[in-house]
Amino acid sequence: MPGVYLLIKKIEFVSKLENILQSYGYDTFYSYPRELDLIFKDSDQVLLKDWFLKSVKSEENSFHKRYYHFLKDTLSLAERAIVLEKIYHQESSLCLDLVETLVTLKMPGTAIVYLEDLRKVNPDPWIFTQELFIKLVELKKSEGLPFIEDLISGLKKYKTDSLLEKSIELCPERSLELEALVKSNSHYYFLKYLIKRERIEEAHQLVLTSKSLDDQSVLNFFKTYCEKYPSDSTNYFTKLIDKELVHTGDRHYESIVNSLQYIFKVSPSKAVEIASMIKRDYKRRRNLVAMLEQKF
């Protein structure tokens, strides 16, 4: 049959292409899976699907995930489950597809088993992603299984504000404990959480007392809330100006001017005073003086 012969040649071509690209190890070249429709015609779909289902059952290949994404819409739920049970470990999105497929097929217990197995084999958060973790906890809760210890271990691993929000949504009665856990592990994510919840006074205190917050987070806070906390903001930007004055170069000069503009929002006289001092004491830095002259 010429149709079958041609299909086999196309499959062999894709296989050779996959092997060549793997040998180079450059993900840049991996756009071809999204372009399989340039290789296979609509008339190939039935035969290709039949070959794919048989191939998945008989062997494991890295390019199976490419075919799955290409043929996904042609597969029934049962067929998806069969395929994904073989290849779900190759990619976190495939595992998520398998879980959602099993849930749709009324098999949440099986979905939990797959997630637990994947977490044991690949606990790395880049592989067992936060999205997969949340799915596991949601399924456990919906099935009436213990999940609190999972939440605690997950917050220690992922530490994110988004997971903290989800955890409190799942277990509101333990919110204080869960918040304390993230705060102890990451001031960066806890600050994001507080700001998102509009708990600005708590965020302000964290910024003032934290010894682990990164400079960018502190800068962003005082940029946003300089008028709410004028005294602390002025002190912060004044110290920042002192740090920048140690260096030369337009990047540092722009930072100085920007800091003065935030001070000006809450204390115009203070900003003008600092600008005048800089123009007097650093008059040899012509670019800096010129930038200040434009603004102050």
Side-chain angles (χ1 to χ4, degrees):
M1 295 175 65
V4 175
Y5 175 78
L6 184 58
L7 180 68
I8 292 172
K9 288 298 181 184
K10 289 179 179 179
I11 292 170
E12 289 175 351
F13 169 76
V14 171
S15 177
K16 289 178 181 178
L17 179 61
E18 174 81 13
N19 290 331
I20 290 171
L21 294 179
Q22 279 190 338
S23 69
Y24 284 106
Y26 291 113
D27 290 342
T28 308
F29 298 114
Y30 270 78
S31 63
Y32 88 87
R34 298 190 296 272
E35 297 168 358
L36 287 178
D37 58 330
L38 301 177
I39 301 172
F40 297 101
K41 299 179 180 179
D42 290 343
S43 57
D44 294 325
Q45 293 281 330
V46 174
L47 289 174
L48 181 63
K49 174 182 167 181
D50 184 58
W51 166 84
F52 175 59
L53 291 172
K54 291 177 181 176
S55 177
V56 166
K57 289 179 181 179
S58 62
E59 61 179 336
E60 179 178 330
N61 285 301
S62 61
F63 56 80
H64 279 154
K65 63 184 177 184
R66 320 291 178 186
Y67 281 111
Y68 169 76
H69 289 304
F70 179 64
L71 293 168
K72 180 178 177 179
D73 291 339
T74 70
L75 300 172
S76 68
L77 283 174
E79 288 169 336
R80 285 187 197 179
I82 291 171
V83 171
L84 289 167
E85 284 172 356
K86 297 286 187 179
I87 67 172
Y88 76 96
H89 58 280
Q90 293 183 8
E91 192 177 87
S92 60
S93 66
L94 294 176
C95 186
L96 198 59
D97 265 11
L98 173 59
V99 169
E100 290 173 349
T101 299
L102 290 172
V103 170
T104 305
L105 290 169
K106 313 277 189 216
M107 301 170 63
T110 305
I112 290 171
V113 170
Y114 278 112
L115 285 170
E116 291 281 28
D117 287 346
L118 184 62
R119 183 167 64 159
K120 288 176 184 175
V121 175
N122 292 302
D124 190 302
W126 291 104
I127 299 173
F128 193 77
T129 63
Q130 179 176 300
E131 190 176 15
L132 289 172
F133 174 76
I134 289 173
K135 198 69 181 177
L136 172 61
V137 174
E138 286 178 333
L139 282 173
K140 281 191 168 185
K141 182 177 182 180
S142 68
E143 292 301 296
L145 299 173
F147 68 94
I148 300 301
E149 291 304 316
D150 290 290
L151 278 184
I152 292 172
S153 65
L155 284 171
K156 288 179 180 178
K157 176 182 290 187
Y158 301 100
K159 306 174 186 177
T160 64
D161 54 302
S162 56
L163 182 56
L164 176 55
E165 286 188 301
K166 188 64 182 180
S167 298
I168 291 173
E169 178 187 317
L170 291 168
C171 192
E173 68 276 10
R174 304 282 287 270
S175 61
L176 292 178
E177 176 188 353
L178 299 174
E179 285 182 1
L181 186 59
V182 171
K183 183 179 180 180
S184 66
N185 281 280
S186 174
H187 281 184
Y188 170 77
Y189 282 115
F190 192 60
L191 178 64
K192 289 182 67 176
Y193 167 79
L194 291 174
I195 292 172
K196 200 178 295 182
R197 290 289 182 97
E198 298 184 350
R199 290 160 56 177
I200 307 305
E201 183 52 43
E202 292 175 72
H204 176 223
Q205 291 303 314
L206 181 64
V207 167
L208 293 179
T209 59
S210 175
K211 295 181 180 180
S212 62
L213 267 175
D214 60 290
D215 293 340
Q216 191 61 49
S217 293
V218 178
L219 175 61
N220 289 339
F221 180 84
F222 282 116
K223 279 183 175 181
T224 305
Y225 300 104
C226 64
E227 293 172 285
K228 185 174 179 66
Y229 303 105
S231 178
D232 289 328
S233 297
T234 299
N235 289 338
Y236 169 77
F237 285 113
T238 301
K239 289 178 182 177
L240 186 59
I241 289 169
D242 289 339
K243 288 182 181 178
E244 295 289 18
L245 283 170
V246 175
H247 308 284
T248 58
D250 287 351
R251 178 170 66 86
H252 299 287
Y253 300 160
E254 287 169 2
S255 175
I256 290 167
V257 173
N258 287 337
S259 293
L260 280 168
Q261 288 177 310
Y262 283 105
I263 294 174
F264 189 86
K265 285 185 176 182
V266 298
S267 179
S269 61
K270 182 68 173 178
V272 171
E273 177 189 335
I274 295 172
S276 299
M277 179 274 293
I278 294 173
K279 285 186 280 187
R280 182 188 69 239
D281 296 347
Y282 296 87
K283 58 186 176 183
R284 292 185 179 180
R285 299 186 186 182
R286 295 178 181 177
N287 284 359
L288 174 58
V289 172
M291 290 180 185
L292 292 172
E293 290 288 359
Q294 289 179 357
K295 301 291 184 180
F296 302 96

